[in-house]
Amino acid sequence: MSIDLLAPARTASVLSRANPLSKLASALLLTLALLLTVDWVSASVALACELLLLPLAGIGGGLLLRRGWPVLIAAVVGGYGSALLAPKTGAALLNWGPFLFTTGSLEAGVAIVLRGVAIALPGILLLACTDPTDLADALAQKLRLPHRFVLGALAAMRLVGVLVEEWHTLGMARRARGGGATTGPFAGLRASLGQGLALLIQALRRASRLAVTMEAKGFGAGPRTWARPSAFTAVDVAVLAGGLAITAATVASAVLLGTWNSSLS
Amino acid sequence: MNDGVRPASVRARGWGWRHADRPVPAVANLDLDIAAGERVLLVGPSGAGKSTLLHALAGVLGHDDGSDETGSLLVDGAAPAAVRGRAGLMQQDPEAQVVLSRVGDDVAFGAENLQVPPEEIWRRVRASLEAVGLRLPLDAPTSALSGGQKQRLGLAGLLAMQPGLLLLDEPTANLDPAGVLDLRNAVVRLLERTGATLIVVEHRVPVWLEVVDRIIVLAPGARNVPGGVLFDGRPEDVLGSAGSWLAGEGIWVPGHIPAVPARRNSAPGGMLLQATGLAVSRQRQANPSRRSSRFRRPGRTTPGATPGTAPGTTPGATGGQTFSPAVAGLSFPVLSGQALSITGANGSGKSTLALTLGGLLPPVAGTVAASPLLARGERPDPYRWKGPALIERIGSVFQEPEHQFITGSVLDELRFGPVKLGHGMDRVEELLERLHLTHLAEANPFTLSGGEKRRLSVATVLATSPQVLVLDEPTFGQDATTWAELAGLLRDLLDEGTAVVSVTHDSLFTEVLGGARLDLPDDGGNPPAAPVAVAASGPGTATTAGGSREH
């Protein structure tokens, strides 16, 4: 649930000790390289490296599937579509009416699946081993983003977990009033809209009370100190070097094997 | 020791404040001197501007267009907004008290804003958590805390700022009795430690009586009332001269128990609902058909099997395949004309049980079955009833009235249910009268006072004349006037044959309603076999559950 996502158990994993910014930079670099080409070699190399990194982020196979299944489904659907629509080169593998798959189109489809998963995985990795509070600290202290904005967003994110619970409560409270779906095709939609509006009202009122709490605690008055100094350490050097190495291996393998297929042209 | 805290003083001269878009000032003509280190209880009828004064002292009253300030209000001789951090403010909503996701970070937040050096912050964080009695790891998630713990967390955050003036705005309104005492004691320890000045707003005088050395009563704001201070002095003097007046204004004063008319007939009638081997949980079930195999069976609960796990939460990180219900193995009847009070510690599953009885949650195991008397042609399981069928049989009143408001005016709220059922509106007029809401018929429900919201939320549910009424903490945070009205209304309903089930921490309320009491065990304990009779204060209300006289 979103509550767990906001305050994940502090794990002893190596990557969770790295500064969020170095992880972000490495992930962006690799993602950018993968976006520039559509081929199965670069995607496979990147995917293999990412899977090897999973233990470093403290992610097991089960957690990966729970977090990543929507991505996997989207990638497979995208790959299937590509295989169906790609130029039909090579020998036919399946020819059944409008469904014609050739070795060439199948290769394109597989490349799309691998690439999709390889692009999404760094994001999942980053989320799993990064504490939102650490990220906010790094954004405000290292990137010098305005702390009013960063900490305000962080506090608002905490309320999201509260809202999830409130939604369930509102649903029951409205059923107890005889609200909720009854008859007609649009009754359900209308009931959900009403419930959404009620949730919005609750959210705004709570947010304004939270703003008073923050203001009363001296927030936004001027410069502040940071109880958790955001620092770069040797781990960050390793993370950046690793990110560079994986990106280089990805690009080099595709270029050397001649499969580099620029998505820009 | 005083941790280097310098208590703050307060001085008001002809001070007044009018919120934007309000014709009448919230506070007017206030003259007040509070010396450094004084402990003041601030009371007054609703609308006397107590919260406005506290917000002003904390320096967080927004100067929007149209708001109007008169006179002067000073903290340590300076404008409050200029010395923000000298005063620490706590509000009544525990959820709005917490800023960050981890306990240590949240306590540190205020001190960071005051530019305290990091090493000093962490020293203060540990000392503050210790002082408020929260012995939790610094990286514990704040979302797992109870309401009372959140309030104490907020207090620790204030303590870390080392304010000279502590402002508490109804800090115990949303807490159960144990939480109230824990918070009060934490405040006392804090004051002894720092010697800070205290101003607490609360309409339950007994809670703070031994803590404060002065009571100030504010006059209600009105167009032709001068406002300002009505009474001011030592607690015993103020209560001695103004105790009855305060009680009449709805303030809980020691020795003044609100009068509630006695019940006229108290024999319970026929059985309306029967719980059998019932286990309840708020967690949603992925597959209802397999539900009985996924949960521990009632009657086979293993006490202490998951130590340290809050009831209803997933034990460990096993992925949510199995979890223990909030409470299990309950069998009891709900009888016509009988009050049933569900009591027990926080987290014992009281609210979840109320939702299940109200047909809003499915049972995890066992059944809730409506008798033919109540079902009137519907199937026995209330959870399977459609909305209209439910509201003319079982009415559920939620703890937070705002959750149940659906329309834009008091009148529309009351009409909502009857219109759904295609009924006439005769009941609506009667309820407006009976709950003193007639003059508010056109008002927006969200703009009402706390007591008015509570009365409206009960009235909306009564508008469809349910035979069973389920209320979750109906008296939480209510003033004595609303309390007495509510108790009187429920006694009338009981006399008319309605079954009243209430989840409550309020022992006085339980006593006044009489009937039976079902005390839920703490986590892991064995459930009670049956409800027990309440030692009633009214005549002839004592009766055990299990009566079977049919109408």
Side-chain angles (χ1 to χ4, degrees):
Chain A
M1 218 154 159
S2 52
I3 298 168
D4 305 333
L5 279 177
L6 288 177
R10 282 210 200 276
T11 54
S13 76
V14 179
L15 281 179
S16 69
R17 276 186 276 130
N19 192 292
L21 288 183
S22 60
K23 286 181 280 190
L24 197 62
S26 297
L28 279 178
L29 189 65
L30 179 59
T31 311
L32 195 68
L34 287 169
L35 281 174
L36 288 176
T37 175
V38 189
D39 73 300
W40 65 272
V41 173
S42 64
S44 309
V45 171
L47 193 55
C49 293
E50 286 161 14
L51 289 174
L52 287 175
L53 285 178
L54 287 181
L56 289 183
I59 307 181
L63 184 68
L64 182 65
L65 276 182
R66 272 204 304 284
R67 294 254 168 100
W69 65 265
V71 171
L72 197 62
I73 288 175
V76 168
V77 169
Y80 169 77
S82 297
L84 204 60
L85 298 173
K88 310 294 181 195
T89 55
L93 294 172
L94 175 73
N95 190 351
W96 188 62
F99 297 94
L100 171 66
F101 295 100
T102 66
T103 48
S105 73
L106 194 67
E107 194 185 310
V110 168
I112 286 290
V113 173
L114 291 173
R115 181 174 177 254
V117 175
I119 288 175
L121 206 51
I124 294 175
L125 237 112
L126 194 66
L127 267 183
C129 67
T130 302
D131 186 314
T133 312
D134 289 347
L135 179 61
D137 284 343
L139 289 177
Q141 295 174 49
K142 292 295 177 193
L143 279 193
R144 303 273 162 201
L145 294 187
H147 71 255
R148 265 191 85 101
F149 173 75
V150 173
L151 291 179
L154 186 66
M157 272 174 69
R158 199 193 63 80
L159 283 186
V160 172
V162 179
L163 287 185
V164 173
E165 258 173 52
E166 195 122 313
W167 176 259
H168 294 318
T169 304
L170 276 173
M172 290 189 285
R174 295 169 79 82
R175 172 168 151 81
R177 290 292 316 278
T182 43
T183 49
F186 297 111
L189 180 67
R190 229 179 37 229
S192 292
L193 279 178
Q195 192 174 330
L197 190 67
L199 185 73
L200 191 66
I201 292 172
Q202 292 298 326
L204 288 177
R205 293 164 74 88
R206 181 152 278 149
S208 69
R209 285 196 292 262
L210 183 64
V212 167
T213 296
M214 292 173 76
E215 203 184 345
K217 286 189 171 183
F219 181 63
R224 73 199 299 272
T225 50
W226 299 87
R228 302 166 303 277
S230 185
F232 290 116
T233 63
V235 181
D236 296 297
V237 177
V239 167
L240 283 171
L244 267 174
I246 294 173
T247 310
T250 301
V251 174
S253 59
V255 171
L256 287 178
L257 288 176
T259 58
W260 184 273
N261 177 12
S262 176
S263 59
L264 295 178
S265 58
Chain B
M1 75 176 203
N2 67 4
D3 278 351
V5 172
R6 193 165 42 85
S9 63
V10 171
R11 180 185 164 96
R13 284 294 174 273
W15 187 74
W17 181 274
R18 188 178 57 77
H19 292 284
D21 307 325
R22 298 282 170 90
V24 181
V27 184
N29 304 319
L30 184 69
D31 289 300
L32 194 60
D33 280 291
I34 295 173
E38 266 194 296
R39 302 172 180 185
V40 176
L41 174 62
L42 191 62
V43 295
S46 110
K50 307 179 292 285
S51 291
T52 306
L53 177 58
L54 288 201
H55 279 69
L57 287 169
V60 295
L61 262 191
H63 285 257
D64 335 329
D65 291 339
S67 60
D68 208 2
E69 186 171 13
T70 52
S72 72
L73 181 71
L74 303 174
V75 174
D76 277 350
V83 288
R84 209 177 277 163
R86 279 296 281 151
L89 170 71
M90 170 178 281
Q91 306 174 83
Q92 59 168 283
D93 176 9
E95 217 49 75
Q97 205 60 59
V98 183
V99 179
L100 294 174
S101 310
R102 290 180 201 283
V103 166
D105 298 349
D106 188 68
V107 177
F109 180 76
E112 289 178 312
N113 293 328
L114 298 181
Q115 301 187 63
V116 177
E119 322 79 61
E120 169 66 7
I121 289 180
W122 289 112
R123 193 195 64 74
R124 288 191 194 180
V125 167
R126 277 183 212 99
S128 304
L129 284 172
E130 182 70 31
V132 301
L134 273 184
R135 286 176 189 84
L136 294 167
L138 293 184
D139 63 355
T142 49
S143 59
L145 302 184
S146 71
Q149 286 177 320
K150 279 180 179 147
Q151 291 295 67
R152 279 189 284 150
L153 179 70
L155 192 64
L158 296 184
L159 182 56
M161 294 166 66
Q162 304 193 336
L165 173 60
L166 198 58
L167 305 165
L168 310 179
D169 190 1
E170 300 197 35
T172 67
N174 290 323
L175 306 186
D176 62 84
V180 170
L181 280 186
D182 283 342
L183 181 77
R184 204 255 331 250
N185 294 341
V187 170
V188 170
R189 278 198 299 277
L190 190 157
L191 293 175
E192 279 166 1
R193 209 184 154 112
T194 66
T197 312
L198 170 74
I199 304 179
V200 54
V201 167
E202 192 94 61
H203 48 230
R204 289 182 181 257
V205 173
V207 176
W208 298 99
L209 198 54
E210 289 166 23
V211 181
V212 297
D213 43 35
R214 183 175 168 190
I215 294 182
I216 297 176
V217 183
L218 288 190
R223 209 176 279 278
N224 46 10
V225 172
V229 174
L230 216 51
F231 299 96
D232 182 358
R234 293 189 309 162
E236 54 272 29
D237 297 341
V238 170
L239 293 182
S241 56
S244 309
W245 182 83
L246 287 172
E249 290 292 329
I251 291 153
W252 290 93
V253 179
H256 290 82
I257 294 171
V260 180
R263 284 195 61 178
R264 296 187 303 276
N265 85 60
S266 56
M271 193 255 284
L272 295 176
L273 279 174
Q274 174 70 49
T276 311
L278 182 63
V280 299
S281 168
R282 269 192 94 135
Q283 296 211 350
R284 313 217 135 195
Q285 291 140 214
N287 185 350
S289 64
R290 291 195 298 130
R291 68 191 181 202
S292 54
S293 63
R294 290 180 60 200
F295 304 101
R296 290 190 294 173
R297 299 261 182 182
R300 287 198 10 218
T301 45
T302 44
T306 53
T309 308
T313 59
T314 311
T318 51
Q321 285 311 302
T322 58
F323 57 85
S324 51
V327 62
L330 296 171
S331 298
F332 59 89
V334 173
L335 305 176
S336 165
Q338 192 197 44
L340 174 65
S341 296
I342 301 170
T343 59
N346 264 350
S348 57
K350 299 187 299 294
S351 295
T352 313
L353 178 57
L355 292 169
T356 311
L357 287 176
L360 303 172
L361 277 178
V364 163
T367 56
V368 173
S371 72
L373 208 60
L374 178 66
R376 284 176 278 139
E378 292 284 335
R379 58 186 121 188
D381 179 3
Y383 182 68
R384 305 263 165 216
W385 296 346
K386 289 202 184 313
L390 180 68
I391 58 174
E392 58 178 348
R393 289 172 176 79
I394 305 178
S396 290
V397 178
F398 278 54
Q399 188 174 324
E400 178 55 66
E402 288 187 4
H403 282 149
Q404 289 190 282
F405 294 157
I406 292 179
T407 66
S409 83
V410 168
L411 197 59
D412 286 343
E413 279 301 325
L414 286 169
R415 285 176 171 165
F416 186 84
V419 166
K420 279 259 165 195
L421 298 174
H423 284 185
M425 299 296 154
D426 38 339
R427 192 86 205 262
V428 169
E429 289 295 318
E430 180 201 329
L431 282 167
L432 277 176
E433 282 288 316
R434 192 162 170 184
L435 288 164
H436 315 297
L437 293 167
T438 312
H439 64 292
L440 297 166
E442 299 301 326
N444 185 312
F446 285 94
T447 62
L448 303 182
S449 76
E452 290 161 353
K453 280 180 190 162
R454 169 51 75 220
R455 300 206 299 271
L456 176 60
S457 70
V458 174
T460 53
V461 167
L462 293 181
T464 52
S465 312
Q467 285 163 275
V468 178
L469 194 60
V470 182
L471 307 107
D472 191 359
E473 298 288 3
T475 62
F476 249 15
Q478 294 304 323
D479 64 24
T481 312
T482 306
W483 189 95
E485 269 173 14
L486 202 57
L489 175 72
L490 293 179
R491 277 193 157 184
D492 285 347
L493 288 171
L494 286 165
D495 285 340
E496 290 161 17
T498 306
V500 175
V501 179
S502 34
V503 164
T504 184
H505 277 112
D506 185 339
S507 52
L508 188 59
F509 186 70
T510 302
E511 212 173 280
V512 164
L513 289 190
R517 187 168 78 101
L518 180 69
D519 193 29
L520 297 188
D522 279 356
D523 191 17
N526 284 318
V532 294
V534 171
S537 58
T541 42
T543 170
T544 45
S548 56
R549 195 171 61 88
E550 297 288 330
H551 283 299

